[in-house]
């Protein structure tokens, strides 16, 4: 699959003056609820009304969606509001029912993206469709797996494609429900700059109070749009209550968001950026030089451990480093999350160096 300008055709056809927006409840609960929210979003920046019809649950016993009857509600909402309708599909059966009910936008969820067999089944069922088909990143931070899902759909002759960045699962406790791992989405964006990229701040944050913050971060990175869970009574929603906003709150978010220009258009801007980027290049070179020196010290440590038959991992020492670096990083305006990630990677590289020495 190669990047092509035509990948943006479906998005360009909306002829929007603002970012593309998909919004609606996590789950369709009742016909009344669906229609009430759809009407509340009708006269706004929302282009597609979303509602979960089938809800994959981690454990059995939870609310797993209303099923096929909910598609009838979406058809009625479309007829009454003119909004396009969208929902998640996870099986061939879901796809067939969605197509039969003329759902306009389908997306493959994170759990499904992680299973190439399931994605291929969906691709075969949707082969040649002119519906918009989006694919969320897999639950695990694997850009190749995410891109592989897109490629399977593309190979099936589905041209109206896009991706949704909903964050990645982690065992670590962070402020996010699913950590963004922005660099993975940026890497995909660099490979396929014309493949529409949409942020899902609801699933990244798990917290309605952070929706604006994360959406703004995405727009600052040139994302094309957003998918935001919106409910008329969020606190009493049947699923994911904490991450849903009201229609009024969503409209305020639209007002508060700032859409940036792709680039500056003055010589002064260009000159300032050239100087600052040159400074960054020098600092990056210095960082690599320092990291190289650090690894040489790690090699020496590895040799001392080998000579004395000592294990590589020293947990007490590692814990001391983390505590110290988090404190020092805070003084320099660096977040704890960044420091932890950075030094885990450095620590892993050091372990790799020492393993080579101990096993040589």
């Amino acid at each position: 699959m190669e990047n092509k300008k035509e990948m943006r055709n479906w998005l360009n056809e909306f002829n929007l003056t603002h970012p593309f927006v998909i919004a609606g409840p996590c789950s369709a609960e009742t016909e009344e609820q669906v229609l009430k929210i759809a009407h509340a979003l009708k006269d706004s920046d929302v282009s597609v009304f979303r509602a979960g019809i089938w809800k994959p649950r981690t454990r059995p016993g939870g609310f797993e969606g209303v099923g096929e009857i909910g598609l009838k509600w979406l058809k009625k909402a479309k007829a009454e509001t003119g909004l396009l309708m969208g929902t998640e599909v996870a099986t061939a059966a879901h796809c067939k029912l969605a197509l039969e009910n003329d759902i306009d936008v389908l997306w493959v969820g994170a759990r499904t993206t992680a299973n190439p067999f399931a994605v291929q089944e969906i691709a075969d069922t949707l082969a040649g469709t002119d519906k918009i088909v989006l694919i969320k990143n897999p639950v695990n931070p694997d850009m190749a797996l995410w891109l592989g899902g897109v490629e399977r759909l593309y190979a099936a002759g589905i041209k109206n494609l896009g991706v949704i960045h909903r964050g990645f699962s982690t065992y670590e406790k962070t402020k996010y429900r699913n950590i963004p791992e922005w660099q993975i989405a940026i890497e995909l964006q660099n490979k396929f700059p014309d493949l529409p990229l949409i942020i899902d701040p609801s699933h990244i944050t798990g917290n309605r109070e952070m929706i604006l913050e994360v959406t703004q971060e995405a727009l600052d990175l040139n994302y094309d749009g957003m998918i935001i869970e919106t409910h008329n009574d969020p606190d009493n929603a049947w699923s994911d209550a904490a991450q849903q906003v009201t229609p009024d709150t969503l409209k305020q978010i639209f007002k508060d968001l700032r859409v940036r220009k792709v680039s500056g258009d003055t010589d002064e801007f260009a000159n300032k950026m050239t100087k600052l980027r040159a400074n960054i290049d020098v600092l990056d070179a210095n960082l690599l030089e320092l990291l190289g020196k650090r690894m040489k010290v790690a090699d020496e440590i590895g040799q001392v451990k080998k000579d004395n038959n000592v294990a590589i991992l020293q947990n007490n020492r590692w814990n001391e480093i983390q505590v110290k670096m988090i404190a020092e990083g805070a003084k320099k305006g660096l977040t704890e999350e960044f420091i932890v990630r950075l030094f885990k990677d450095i620590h892993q590289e050091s372990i790799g160096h020492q393993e080579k020495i101990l096993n040589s």
Side-chain angles (χ1 to χ4, degrees), residues 69-85:
I69 185 64
L71 296 173
K72 310 299 180 185
W73 305 341
L74 294 186
K75 287 182 69 175
K76 187 171 183 180
K78 181 177 181 178
E80 291 188 8
T81 66
L83 290 169
L84 299 183
M85 295 291 130

Side-chain angles (χ1 to χ4, degrees), residues 134-162:
L134 310 173
I135 187 159
K136 288 193 173 186
N137 62 255
V139 290
N140 45 315
D142 186 337
M143 200 277 287
L145 188 59
W146 191 6
L147 184 55
V150 180
E151 290 171 332
R152 289 177 186 277
L153 296 169
Y154 183 83
I158 302 168
K159 302 303 182 186
N160 298 329
L161 292 171

Side-chain angles (χ1 to χ4, degrees), residues 162-187:
V163 290
I164 299 174
H165 176 202
R166 52 79 78 189
F168 302 88
S169 298
T170 177
Y171 287 114
E172 300 171 11
K173 185 176 181 181
T174 73
K175 67 178 182 178
Y176 302 106
R177 177 181 177 183
N178 296 289
I179 55 176
E181 297 286 8
W182 295 104
Q183 73 280 3
I184 296 176
I186 290 170
E187 183 182 354

Side-chain angles (χ1 to χ4, degrees), residues 177-205:
R177 177 181 177 183
N178 296 289
I179 55 176
E181 297 286 8
W182 295 104
Q183 73 280 3
I184 296 176
I186 290 170
E187 183 182 354
L188 189 147
Q189 188 180 45
N190 288 337
K191 288 178 180 291
F192 294 92
D194 290 303
L195 182 66
L197 175 59
I198 296 167
I199 190 70
D200 179 354
S202 304
H203 282 91
I204 285 178
T205 65

Side-chain angles (χ1 to χ4, degrees), residues 221-275:
L221 294 170
N222 296 321
Y223 281 50
D224 297 292
M226 63 203 79
I227 177 169
I228 299 178
E229 292 189 347
T230 309
H231 196 290
N232 58 309
D233 185 12
D235 289 334
N236 291 303
W238 294 4
S239 58
D240 287 346
Q243 66 192 38
Q244 300 192 65
V245 299
T246 64
D248 285 344
T249 298
L250 181 67
K251 292 172 185 176
Q252 186 60 49
I253 288 173
F254 295 155
K255 293 178 182 178
D256 293 339
L257 287 171
R258 296 189 62 188
V259 180
R260 317 290 183 182
K261 294 184 293 184
V262 174
S263 62
D265 51 11
T266 65
D267 289 339
E268 182 183 9
F269 171 84
N271 290 334
K272 285 182 178 179
M273 290 301 294
T274 298
K275 291 177 182 178

Side-chain angles (χ1 to χ4, degrees), residues 196-347:
L197 175 59
I198 296 167
I199 190 70
D200 179 354
S202 304
H203 282 91
I204 285 178
T205 65
N207 178 355
R208 66 177 67 103
E209 301 301 327
M210 296 172 62
I211 299 293
L212 174 61
E213 171 193 338
V214 169
T215 305
Q216 184 63 65
E217 286 185 70
L219 293 185
D220 291 346
L221 294 170
N222 296 321
Y223 281 50
D224 297 292
M226 63 203 79
I227 177 169
I228 299 178
E229 292 189 347
T230 309
H231 196 290
N232 58 309
D233 185 12
D235 289 334
N236 291 303
W238 294 4
S239 58
D240 287 346
Q243 66 192 38
Q244 300 192 65
V245 299
T246 64
D248 285 344
T249 298
L250 181 67
K251 292 172 185 176
Q252 186 60 49
I253 288 173
F254 295 155
K255 293 178 182 178
D256 293 339
L257 287 171
R258 296 189 62 188
V259 180
R260 317 290 183 182
K261 294 184 293 184
V262 174
S263 62
D265 51 11
T266 65
D267 289 339
E268 182 183 9
F269 171 84
N271 290 334
K272 285 182 178 179
M273 290 301 294
T274 298
K275 291 177 182 178
L276 290 170
R277 285 169 174 164
N279 195 12
I280 286 285
D281 290 343
V282 171
L283 292 170
D284 285 346
N286 290 341
L287 278 174
L288 290 176
E289 182 70 22
L290 284 172
L291 286 171
K293 290 179 179 179
R294 192 187 192 285
M295 292 309 154
K296 286 182 180 178
V297 175
D299 290 340
E300 294 177 16
I301 291 173
Q303 187 61 52
V304 172
K305 289 178 179 175
K306 180 179 181 178
D307 293 343
N308 291 273
N309 195 31
V310 173
I312 292 174
L313 184 59
Q314 304 290 319
N315 279 321
N316 288 340
R317 168 65 177 163
W318 168 231
N319 290 333
E320 288 174 4
I321 290 174
Q322 283 198 98
V323 171
K324 180 180 178 181
M325 291 302 102
I326 288 171
E328 290 298 315
K331 295 177 183 177
K332 295 171 174 59
L334 303 174
T335 65
E336 179 177 338
E337 181 183 13
F338 169 71
I339 291 296
V340 169
R341 283 204 317 270
L342 174 64
F343 277 89
K344 276 191 175 180
D345 287 342
I346 291 174
H347 186 232

